[in-house]
Amino acid sequence: MDVRSLGYRTDLALLRLGGTLVEDRGDHLLIRSRHNPTYWWGNYLLLPSVPDDDDIDHWLARFSAEHPDAQHVALGIDCTDGTTADLEGFARRGLEVEAGTVMTASSVHRPRSENTEAIYRPLAGDDDWAQSVALGVRIDDGNYEPEGHRRFVQAKMATYRRLVEAGHGQWFGAFLDGRLVAQLGLFTASAGLARFQSVETDPDFRRRGLAGGLVHLASTYGLERGVQTLVMVADPGYVAIDLYRAVGFADTESQLHVQRAPAADRPFRDQSESR
């Protein structure tokens, strides 16, 4: 199965680098992250197109067969356009449907609202990475079972740290008085193509120009090292998308996906980079 979606192509490239299994089953791709089994978008099926309504139950059953221990459901749709209206059949069955905006840039400029008090730099050392985990936990504090959520964040950040140390990209933070208050990653997906990951800002420090400063720094870092196209996936209904546009990113594609949260949890907002 040849993947058309720029969003999913870059997703899969980074997942593979992190040790995720991506297996071509002919009529779909199986994605399985044994090192982080509760990571919904590391354990999903990618379908070649939006299925007909009569086929939806087949794909839900197929997900259960491919991921028998999963308590969630996650299905990606390989397309370059579309809206949540195309996923109405899934919504009628009680699943959450999302259409993320895939954004690209080949050049960037400094945002007007950039916070000039923060120190922007790559993470370095155990203390920085411990702060990264703590920030990831604070982002969704109260939304999930605490200990399970911490294990998920720890596994995710351990994977990103391995990618950094293997030379596949960099993780950047914004620090105020030594405290990490915003972070993101940028990793090479293929020659000339790099993908952002997890643009996160501490809830107590949002709307202070921190994320814009980080996106500009990371983008410049990548472009100076031969990246030709930067890729970001954003929630079209969330304020951060305007920040990315202000730095120089343009809407390029839609990325469709469907999910159902475990019964005891609230769902993630979406599959986009920003929180």
Side-chain angles (χ1 to χ4, degrees):
M1 177 177 156
D2 293 326
V3 179
R4 297 171 294 152
S5 163
L6 180 60
Y8 281 114
R9 274 195 284 124
T10 52
D11 278 339
L12 294 174
L14 269 56
L15 286 169
R16 286 188 179 101
L17 287 175
T20 293
L21 168 72
V22 179
E23 185 175 343
D24 192 339
R25 294 297 181 86
D27 59 348
H28 71 284
L29 295 184
L30 166 65
I31 295 89
R32 180 178 290 127
S33 298
R34 290 190 173 93
H35 56 287
N36 198 355
T38 61
Y39 178 21
W40 303 350
W41 290 103
N43 297 276
Y44 69 100
L45 303 184
L46 182 62
L47 312 186
S49 60
V50 178
D52 293 335
D53 191 77
D54 291 342
D55 292 330
I56 289 177
D57 291 333
H58 160 77
W59 284 112
L60 294 177
R62 193 69 175 268
F63 177 89
S64 296
E66 299 278 27
H67 294 284
D69 298 324
Q71 298 184 34
H72 70 281
V73 174
L75 300 173
I77 311 296
D78 181 28
C79 63
T80 58
D81 56 16
T83 69
T84 54
D86 299 318
L87 304 174
E88 180 182 355
F90 289 101
R92 287 200 304 271
R93 289 166 171 81
L95 284 88
E96 181 185 9
V97 299
E98 297 285 349
T101 299
V102 180
M103 311 182 77
T104 59
S106 57
S107 63
V108 294
H109 46 265
R110 193 177 299 277
R112 294 180 180 177
S113 60
E114 179 179 347
N115 188 305
T116 58
E117 297 179 358
I119 295 175
Y120 303 97
R121 61 171 176 81
L123 268 60
D126 292 344
D127 181 68
D128 281 0
W129 286 100
Q131 287 205 60
S132 176
V133 170
L135 175 56
V137 171
R138 287 199 302 276
I139 295 298
D140 292 305
D141 186 30
N143 287 347
Y144 309 105
E145 186 277 314
E147 186 54 38
H149 181 54
R150 175 172 288 277
R151 288 196 300 269
F152 159 74
V153 174
Q154 287 174 327
K156 181 181 73 168
M157 297 316 302
T159 298
Y160 287 143
R161 185 174 185 177
R162 288 195 299 271
L163 293 184
V164 169
E165 293 175 348
H168 296 299
Q170 191 58 267
W171 200 266
F172 299 90
F175 294 81
L176 288 171
D177 297 325
R179 177 182 177 183
L180 180 67
V181 292
Q183 63 180 344
L184 58 78
L186 181 70
F187 296 97
T188 301
S190 62
L193 187 67
R195 172 69 185 265
F196 278 87
Q197 293 285 275
S198 298
V199 184
E200 298 177 338
T201 303
D202 188 305
D204 292 335
F205 292 87
R206 288 176 179 165
R207 299 181 183 272
R208 298 192 189 185
L210 295 163
L214 276 179
V215 171
H216 179 261
L217 171 66
S219 298
T220 302
Y221 172 91
L223 294 169
E224 289 177 347
R225 286 160 178 76
V227 173
Q228 298 170 346
T229 304
L230 300 158
V231 182
M232 174 88 70
V233 179
D235 180 347
Y238 189 53
V239 64
I241 195 169
D242 292 327
L243 180 156
Y244 306 142
R245 290 169 179 153
V247 175
F249 282 79
D251 301 9
T252 303
E253 296 179 357
S254 293
Q255 184 177 18
L256 300 184
H257 59 279
V258 176
Q259 63 189 26
R260 176 184 290 146
D265 289 341
R266 303 177 192 173
F268 291 127
R269 179 186 296 130
D270 59 12
Q271 195 185 19
S272 67
E273 258 76 89
S274 307
R275 286 185 294 171

